[in-house]
Amino acid sequence: MSQPPAPDTATYALLQLGGWQLGVAATLVRQARAYVEPAALDTAAPQLAGRLVSGPQQLAALDLAHWLPQAQAASAAQGGYHVVLEHAGIQLAMRVDQLGGLRELPLSIVAAASPHSDMPLLRCITLDDDSTLHLLDGEELARQAGSAIAAASLQADSAALQDGEELRQLPPMGVFQLDGQRYALPAALIHEVISCPPMTTPFLWGGPLRGVTEWRGQHVYLLAPQQLGSSQSTAAMLAVVGDQHGYLGLPIDAALTLRRFRLDQLSGADDGQLYAGLIVDDQERPIRLLDSAALLRLIPHTSRSTRQQEGDSAQQRSREAYLVCRAGIRLAIPIRLVEQVCVLPADFSSAGATADGSSGSITWRDQTLPLHQLGAAPTRLLVICHGGRMLGLLVDAVETLLPALSASQPRAICVAGRAFRVISTRHASYTLFEPQQLDYFSTH
């Protein structure tokens, strides 16, 4: 029997939001219904307007203004419709002003659609009447919204669970994918899933952490993909997890869904110190359950008692994060100054060091980087950027990380007639590196 000919058109649902004429693949549309005000979420997420109850389910209501800023005023207005989309098990609702029916579009025109210059989720085509139709990438929208759903801890099936059944359920789990393997983590720990930002400070000495990045004004310590058994060096997305002590960035390729699993689907711990068990879902596809406590232990932090926290309000803590290095003295370098940390080759020689600490220069990123030796037997090179000046510090070792609010504010002291500043934790004090004091540090 001959195969039916492949379709040469695709059906799109036409929608209107403010001045935007949108088209979304009709295969993703489940229903459209009159707009109702969404219920507020316990955890705020900028992508979400709230939640809608649909029978036994809760649907995430999107705020399209997060992706289409120019539609913000219209998006906030009352009235209109909620269009319910579904992709890969993720259901969501988005508010629109008007429904424009269905339209068949030639695949050749859809394929030739041009990306919108400012909105990655949109592609533009010109219709017969010379108007512009913006094709909304519903699949990518669902994936990004799925991340927000996990971050806001929306439990799609919570209304359907009975008390007895609830006792046989694991907590809501965010499920994500990395290098073809699926992982799960309690959704309560997931704050947000974002495109992987650039590192502000890379760590090149090995170990479980790759470096530090910034997220909502906070330091996030990036987990190396190899810690999860991945051969990748980087990942496209980042799941920000953590608690009041600090934040860890998990490398992921995609955020898949938020799910509840039964206790009988969980078996013993998988190989690896970061795994708490193995979940076999209904399709018998294994999911590695991550050990939340083990992950949180990787976040550098200094725990403080309630009494000590009360004392912190009287003595303000430093909002800086520091790398502590051994360089004859124990030196604290603000992370904001550190561009990169490199392991020195085994045959590195500092024989050229002069009396003032200068050790010549190297070429780094097509720039001449002057070197200054602070340690007696350096094994690490720290690239320092300050005021447009680049500087390479040679230190004996990088000992630890001090996250923000874990050390006291710098205070001035005087030793042998020389003034410099130190910071302190409960256990130690460290000399503070300040670029203008380089001559002092290089000779002591």
Side-chain angles (χ1 to χ4, degrees):
M1 179 181 295
S2 61
Q3 295 292 329
D8 56 4
T9 62
T11 304
Y12 277 78
L14 303 186
L15 313 168
Q16 191 77 28
L17 179 63
W20 294 91
Q21 187 176 7
L22 304 173
V24 63
T27 54
L28 302 179
V29 178
R30 292 295 170 263
Q31 62 173 306
R33 59 192 191 185
Y35 174 85
V36 294
E37 185 72 22
L41 293 169
D42 294 334
T43 305
Q47 301 95 325
L48 301 181
R51 64 174 180 266
L52 300 174
V53 177
S54 176
Q57 278 191 318
Q58 294 184 58
L59 295 178
L62 298 190
D63 181 5
L64 281 181
H66 180 79
W67 291 276
L68 310 178
Q70 297 171 8
Q72 187 167 7
S75 179
Q78 297 296 318
Y81 301 87
H82 268 130
V83 177
V84 179
L85 306 181
E86 181 175 0
H87 170 69
I90 300 172
Q91 284 200 1
L92 49 92
M94 60 183 189
R95 199 202 74 82
V96 298
D97 295 328
Q98 295 292 334
L99 305 176
L102 301 177
R103 179 157 182 170
E104 298 287 334
L105 298 176
L107 291 179
S108 58
I109 294 180
V110 173
S114 58
H116 193 285
S117 58
D118 300 320
M119 312 295 175
L121 290 177
L122 297 181
R123 293 182 299 145
C124 308
I125 63 173
T126 301
L127 301 178
D128 297 339
D129 58 1
D130 292 331
S131 63
T132 299
L133 178 64
H134 298 91
L135 302 183
L136 182 63
D137 188 338
E139 295 183 4
E140 180 60 26
L141 180 68
R143 280 191 288 268
Q144 293 197 27
S147 302
I149 293 168
S153 298
L154 278 179
Q155 302 175 17
D157 57 352
S158 61
L161 294 175
Q162 302 298 321
D163 292 343
E165 185 180 357
E166 182 78 22
L167 296 176
R168 299 192 296 273
Q169 299 277 334
L170 292 170
M173 296 286 173
V175 180
F176 61 89
Q177 182 172 300
L178 175 65
D179 204 8
Q181 175 64 52
R182 296 193 302 166
Y183 300 87
L185 187 71
L189 287 179
I190 302 173
H191 294 270
E192 191 171 0
V193 177
I194 58 176
S195 297
C196 198
M199 281 187 286
T200 54
T201 305
F203 301 154
L204 301 183
W205 61 77
L209 302 179
R210 293 181 57 233
V212 180
T213 189
E214 296 291 327
W215 169 78
R216 299 182 182 272
Q218 302 287 336
H219 289 295
V220 176
Y221 297 90
L222 304 178
L223 184 71
Q226 292 76 13
Q227 297 297 308
L228 298 180
S230 171
S231 59
Q232 299 178 184
S233 58
T234 58
M237 302 181 73
L238 198 69
V240 180
V241 304
D243 57 15
Q244 71 272 19
H245 296 299
Y247 301 96
L248 187 70
L250 302 185
I252 67 174
D253 292 331
L256 300 180
T257 187
L258 179 75
R259 286 193 55 184
R260 297 294 295 264
F261 297 98
R262 302 186 308 273
L263 281 173
D264 60 11
Q265 293 177 296
L266 177 63
S267 61
D270 195 3
D271 293 336
Q273 60 180 357
L274 294 182
Y275 303 134
L278 196 67
I279 298 172
V280 179
D281 63 10
D282 297 335
Q283 289 76 38
E284 297 186 354
R285 298 174 58 200
I287 301 173
R288 288 177 172 175
L289 176 62
L290 295 175
D291 187 328
S292 303
L295 284 174
L296 296 181
R297 283 196 296 269
L298 294 176
I299 302 174
H301 67 270
T302 302
S303 60
R304 301 191 298 277
S305 67
T306 301
R307 182 182 298 275
Q308 291 159 348
Q309 291 177 14
E310 292 172 352
D312 288 345
S313 62
Q315 179 185 7
Q316 186 179 3
R317 314 296 290 181
S318 172
R319 295 186 177 275
E320 294 268 20
Y322 302 92
L323 283 180
V324 174
C325 304
R326 190 170 66 249
I329 57 175
R330 300 182 76 188
L331 192 65
I333 303 178
I335 280 182
R336 62 180 171 82
L337 300 179
V338 181
E339 180 73 16
Q340 195 166 7
V341 180
C342 306
V343 178
L344 293 174
D347 58 355
F348 175 81
S349 172
S350 59
T354 62
D356 65 356
S358 175
S359 298
S361 64
I362 62 172
T363 300
W364 181 82
R365 294 184 182 176
D366 299 325
Q367 300 184 61
T368 299
L369 181 69
L371 302 179
H372 290 264
Q373 181 174 331
L374 300 183
T379 65
R380 301 290 186 269
L381 166 66
L382 278 66
V383 180
I384 304 295
C385 297
H386 176 70
R389 179 186 176 195
M390 305 290 291
L391 183 67
L393 294 182
L394 301 173
V395 300
D396 293 342
V398 176
E399 291 188 348
T400 189
L401 298 163
L402 297 179
L405 303 179
S406 63
S408 66
Q409 286 278 21
R411 68 183 189 278
I413 65 173
C414 186
V415 176
R418 291 183 178 272
F420 58 99
R421 297 200 297 168
V422 299
I423 61 170
S424 301
T425 66
R426 289 178 56 202
H427 306 290
S429 294
Y430 308 97
T431 302
L432 179 63
F433 171 79
E434 295 177 291
Q436 62 269 30
Q437 294 178 309
L438 179 61
D439 289 342
Y440 173 78
F441 290 127
S442 63
T443 56
H444 288 73

